[in-house]
Amino acid sequence: MLNYCPRLPESIIAAACSRSGQRVLHVDSRSYYGGNWASFSFSGLLSWLKEYQENSDIVNDSPVWQYHILENEEAIALSRKDKTIQHVEVFCYASQDLHEDVEEAGALQKNHALVTSTNSTEAADSACLPTEDESLSTVSCEMLIEQTPSSDPESALEVNGAEVTGEKENHSDDKTCVPSTSAEEMSDNVPIAEDTTEQPKKNKITYSQIIKEGRRFNIDLVSKLLYSRGLLIDLLIKSNVSRYAEFKNITRILAFRDGRVEQVPCSRADVFNSKQLSMVEKRMLMKFLTFCMEYEKFPDEYKGYEEITFCEYLKTQKLTPNLQYIVLHSIAMTSQTASSTIDGLKATKNFLHCLGRYGNTPFLFPLYGQGELPQCFCRMCAVFGGIYCLRHSVQCLVVDKESRKCKAIIDQFGQRIISKHFLVEDSYFSENTCSRVQYRQISRAVLITDRSVLKTDSDQQISVLTVPAEEPGTFAVRVIELCSSTMTCMKGTYLVHLTCTSSKTAREDLEPVVQKLFIPYTEVEIENEQVEKPRILWALYFNMRDSSDISRSCYNDLPSNVYVCSGPDCGLGNDNAVKQAETIFQEICPSEDFCPPPPNPEDIVLDGDSLQPEANSETLKESTNLGNLEEPSE
């Protein structure tokens, strides 16, 4: 099987195929894993912006492939331009220290305070990214090193089995997760070590500090969480890919009402200990949530309301406005206008079903960011013989005229690579192939802030917040706030992701919510300790294509052995990616199990071994139970 671009769905499929004995080749024109599922260090993110600048400047030269097509063949040309990211706008609010040297590779210039643009080309230019005289190979190498600490396959295989770490985990463990493969790379990693010098006074964070600590950031292009009983967690456990990653439990779920952020009770204990609910409300809420857990057994309770929205249904259940708001926006997390009663009940049940497996909320977050997940499955694929080739573009698919099946690809050098099955990311198809496809868009924002949206005794909180839409035609905004113990930002800062379905550009969609929750960082406010809202140090807005739920029939003249994977959707979980991967895998290998556990090393018989060693019962038990993830210790 040939896989063009290893994003999460493609990486899962490749791991499953490799595990079942198929020969797998990953080819990607990018210099990093994951596509739009990737995570970057701060300077790596700036290099990513530069790549989009260069991508927009590509001129389609005369194709090389046309000289390699035979008479009984035809070609499906692939696009060299990636149009999945648009309307990029970058803002820097952190104070500029012109006397401080910036050592981090790929750093922004320090002579701008506010950068805006309306497309990726202008954004990359105005952000003062690496200059044109820097070689492209140099930028690519820097990105591979800086993408995530576990991007090196060898060091990644040394990561301990997956575990859910509590919120009291000490961030000083960072140093154990930094790969070291050579003396030169070790010298590059010196800035990652804990800085013992005297720090500036509280809340005064300069832009130069962000640059110097850039490798402590792991910034996701797509913002998602893992439901603790979701399809992806089940797949990670079943396939034993969980050993390549670590996770933290989301510590709290927040709500935004009347201009204030407050914590929402999740578990039974939280409900009865809550001070924001009256005793009557606590009983009403528990009664309704108990019903939602087994709503299928009581069809008479909802049958007459299937044609109305979940929001309207809640009004019929004798819930106070306060409880209606909590259930709709913080538990079900569904649309106020578009979600039906059944959709809302299913979402509420799923939320409750996931509670308590690993912590007090239903969600997990992978350390070092969402971009770790595609890499985990890429490692599994590589273990079973998969081959990866980055910075290697494909020009066209070669189709046999008689059978109408794809038989090969032609790469940038005119080389023909033959395969039986081809898996292609939808963004690589040309406009001719996608002429009937209508894409949706996702609005994204990434903020670096100086404090949490809701201060508590602990500064290591991981929070999820839904801000409902206020105007017709707009959508609710999901906010995920990450602290430094998630290994996604430097100490003293928070990384905030905002996501919603697009109605306009990302900045137009998300800026009203940003203004409600945050304020720009200015020198005047540094001395004012009474400022309640977090201050924004740096911000990025962009729109990302959402190609989920697009039928294969929308693409023109695709051969039957060419499979299309969509990009990230706007949902909170990853179920869509897993379902898509399993469906395509079953088409390729209909009689094979989807991502079975790898064999116990002691059970493997090597060539020349006359006798198979006896399996150690304790080892077998550990490999099948995955106790760390299945049953976390109290």
Side-chain angles (χ1 to χ4, degrees):
M1 185 190 78
L2 190 143
N3 183 4
Y4 192 28
C5 178
R7 302 178 303 177
L8 181 59
E10 293 92 335
S11 298
I12 295 175
I13 297 168
C17 289
S18 180
R19 175 67 183 88
S20 66
Q22 300 287 326
R23 297 173 63 187
V24 177
L25 171 63
H26 271 270
V27 179
D28 197 347
S29 60
R30 301 181 179 96
S31 57
Y32 54 88
Y33 293 100
N36 286 348
W37 296 80
S39 302
F40 297 103
S41 68
F42 188 76
S43 57
L45 183 66
L46 304 182
S47 296
W48 173 78
L49 290 173
K50 180 174 176 62
E51 278 200 358
Y52 271 91
Q53 172 200 5
E54 295 171 343
N55 177 73
S56 64
D57 294 337
I58 289 177
V59 178
N60 289 322
D61 301 324
S62 58
V64 176
W65 55 261
Q66 62 185 3
Y67 304 108
H68 300 273
I69 302 299
L70 305 179
E71 290 184 2
N72 62 336
E73 297 172 344
E74 60 184 41
I76 299 177
L78 299 180
S79 175
R80 296 178 61 192
K81 293 185 178 181
D82 187 347
K83 299 180 180 180
T84 59
I85 304 296
Q86 296 178 333
H87 308 299
V88 179
E89 302 187 54
V90 182
F91 298 84
C92 181
Y93 300 102
S95 58
Q96 311 291 310
D97 188 346
L98 300 179
H99 302 289
E100 191 172 355
D101 293 332
V102 179
E103 300 178 0
E104 176 72 357
L108 290 171
Q109 298 293 330
K110 296 177 290 182
N111 58 357
H112 73 287
L114 178 64
V115 180
T116 64
S117 72
T118 56
N119 55 60
S120 57
T121 306
E122 295 175 6
D125 286 335
S126 58
C128 303
L129 301 176
T131 57
E132 293 295 334
D133 57 356
E134 291 183 39
S135 67
L136 188 57
S137 59
T138 303
V139 175
S140 300
C141 292
E142 291 171 357
M143 290 181 64
L144 285 174
I145 295 172
E146 297 163 6
Q147 182 184 349
T148 60
S150 57
S151 59
D152 177 32
E154 294 184 2
S155 63
L157 291 173
E158 298 174 3
V159 178
N160 292 331
E163 68 179 86
V164 180
T165 53
E167 66 179 79
K168 295 183 180 180
E169 180 181 340
N170 194 324
H171 191 54
S172 63
D173 291 341
D174 296 5
K175 59 185 178 182
T176 64
C177 300
V178 178
S180 56
T181 56
S182 67
E184 181 179 355
E185 287 185 11
M186 289 180 65
S187 64
D188 289 341
N189 287 336
V190 170
I192 301 179
E194 196 66 39
D195 188 3
T196 57
T197 60
E198 183 179 355
Q199 298 293 326
K201 70 177 186 176
K202 185 179 179 180
N203 291 337
K204 185 175 181 179
I205 300 174
T206 65
Y207 182 71
S208 297
Q209 282 180 281
I210 296 176
I211 293 296
K212 283 190 172 183
E213 297 286 340
R215 294 188 183 181
R216 290 198 180 275
F217 289 89
N218 284 288
I219 301 172
D220 294 326
L221 296 184
V222 59
S223 176
K224 289 181 176 289
L225 300 176
L226 286 77
Y227 281 93
S228 63
R229 296 186 189 274
L231 294 179
L232 185 54
I233 286 292
D234 291 343
L235 182 62
L236 288 167
I237 294 172
K238 173 188 175 183
S239 62
N240 206 13
V241 172
S242 56
R243 62 184 171 174
Y244 298 130
E246 293 180 275
F247 304 87
K248 286 187 74 71
N249 184 243
I250 303 304
T251 58
R252 61 186 182 177
I253 296 177
L254 307 178
F256 182 79
R257 292 194 67 191
D258 302 325
R260 295 190 311 125
V261 177
E262 55 189 27
Q263 187 166 346
V264 173
C266 291
S267 65
R268 180 185 296 268
D270 286 344
V271 170
F272 285 105
N273 290 330
S274 174
K275 296 181 180 179
Q276 67 193 69
L277 301 179
S278 66
M279 186 57 66
V280 174
E281 285 182 314
K282 292 176 182 179
R283 292 172 180 165
M284 294 169 64
L285 180 59
M286 287 307 303
K287 181 180 178 181
F288 179 75
L289 296 181
T290 302
F291 158 71
C292 290
M293 279 296 293
E294 299 179 330
Y295 75 91
E296 298 98 331
K297 296 181 180 180
F298 308 98
D300 294 339
E301 295 291 328
Y302 63 88
K303 280 294 183 182
Y305 305 100
E306 292 177 312
E307 302 299 324
I308 64 175
T309 65
F310 187 54
C311 179
E312 294 172 335
Y313 172 73
L314 292 176
K315 296 176 182 178
T316 69
Q317 297 302 298
K318 299 179 181 179
L319 298 175
T320 65
N322 185 32
L323 295 181
Q324 294 175 32
Y325 188 95
I326 289 174
V327 172
L328 182 64
H329 298 296
S330 299
I331 296 180
M333 298 184 184
T334 57
S335 169
Q336 188 169 349
T337 58
S339 296
S340 67
T341 298
I342 298 300
D343 292 337
L345 291 174
K346 286 181 179 178
T348 303
K349 179 180 179 178
N350 184 47
F351 181 98
L352 299 172
H353 181 63
C354 294
L355 278 175
R357 188 179 191 186
Y358 298 116
N360 208 31
T361 72
F363 305 113
L364 297 176
F365 181 79
L367 295 188
Y368 301 103
Q370 180 81 17
E372 283 297 287
L373 299 178
Q375 294 188 60
C376 289
F377 286 97
C378 287
R379 289 171 194 137
M380 178 181 175
C381 178
V383 165
F384 288 95
I387 300 174
Y388 288 81
C389 189
L390 301 182
R391 295 185 294 275
H392 195 100
S393 63
V394 175
Q395 292 200 334
C396 73
L397 305 175
V398 180
V399 180
D400 183 78
K401 289 183 178 180
E402 182 177 350
S403 65
R404 299 307 303 167
K405 286 192 174 182
C406 185
K407 57 192 295 187
I409 63 165
I410 295 178
D411 67 9
Q412 64 197 57
F413 304 109
Q415 179 180 353
R416 178 177 291 229
I417 303 174
I418 301 173
S419 179
K420 292 182 179 179
H421 303 280
F422 299 84
L423 191 60
V424 183
E425 176 191 336
D426 62 327
S427 66
Y428 284 111
F429 286 122
S430 66
E431 293 182 359
N432 291 334
T433 305
C434 303
S435 61
R436 296 185 294 124
V437 178
Q438 293 185 348
Y439 297 108
R440 293 173 296 182
Q441 295 289 326
I442 302 171
S443 291
R444 290 277 292 115
V446 179
L447 312 178
I448 300 175
T449 65
D450 67 343
R451 68 183 73 176
S452 174
V453 292
L454 182 63
K455 294 183 65 176
T456 59
D457 294 337
S458 171
D459 63 350
Q460 295 301 308
Q461 298 281 359
I462 311 173
S463 311
V464 57
L465 164 67
T466 301
V467 180
E470 291 188 350
E471 299 179 2
T474 61
F475 299 88
V477 175
R478 182 175 68 246
V479 181
I480 296 177
E481 182 183 70
L482 305 173
C483 60
S484 58
S485 64
T486 62
M487 314 302 179
T488 59
C489 57
M490 59 181 276
K491 281 190 174 182
T493 65
Y494 287 82
L495 189 66
V496 183
H497 292 274
L498 294 91
T499 307
C500 75
T501 301
S502 298
S503 56
K504 303 176 183 176
T505 67
R507 183 186 172 193
E508 291 173 321
D509 285 336
L510 300 174
E511 195 171 51
V513 174
V514 171
Q515 292 173 348
K516 291 177 182 177
L517 298 174
F518 309 94
I519 58 173
Y521 185 101
T522 63
E523 291 288 347
V524 177
E525 291 162 351
I526 294 177
E527 306 298 333
N528 183 6
E529 297 296 332
Q530 302 302 318
V531 176
E532 295 182 359
K533 293 182 179 180
R535 293 193 288 261
I536 306 173
L537 303 170
W538 187 86
L540 167 68
Y541 296 90
F542 62 92
N543 288 90
M544 176 183 291
R545 177 188 293 177
D546 178 2
S547 56
S548 62
D549 298 329
I550 292 179
S551 171
R552 172 189 172 87
S553 60
C554 293
Y555 299 97
N556 298 324
D557 301 325
L558 278 188
S560 59
N561 62 336
V562 174
Y563 307 93
V564 184
C565 278
S566 64
D569 62 352
C570 197
L572 179 59
N574 298 273
D575 283 3
N576 186 64
V578 178
K579 289 177 181 178
Q580 185 177 188
E582 185 169 9
T583 299
I584 294 177
F585 173 78
Q586 294 300 338
E587 293 180 16
I588 298 174
C589 305
S591 60
E592 298 289 339
D593 187 15
F594 181 56
C595 282
N600 191 322
E602 296 187 7
D603 294 338
I604 299 175
V605 180
L606 302 177
D607 293 340
D609 288 353
S610 58
L611 296 175
Q612 177 177 341
E614 294 183 4
N616 184 305
S617 59
E618 293 184 1
T619 306
L620 278 172
K621 182 178 180 181
E622 290 176 0
S623 66
T624 56
N625 285 346
L626 285 175
N628 283 344
L629 199 54
E630 287 274 5
E631 300 292 340
S633 57
E634 297 291 337

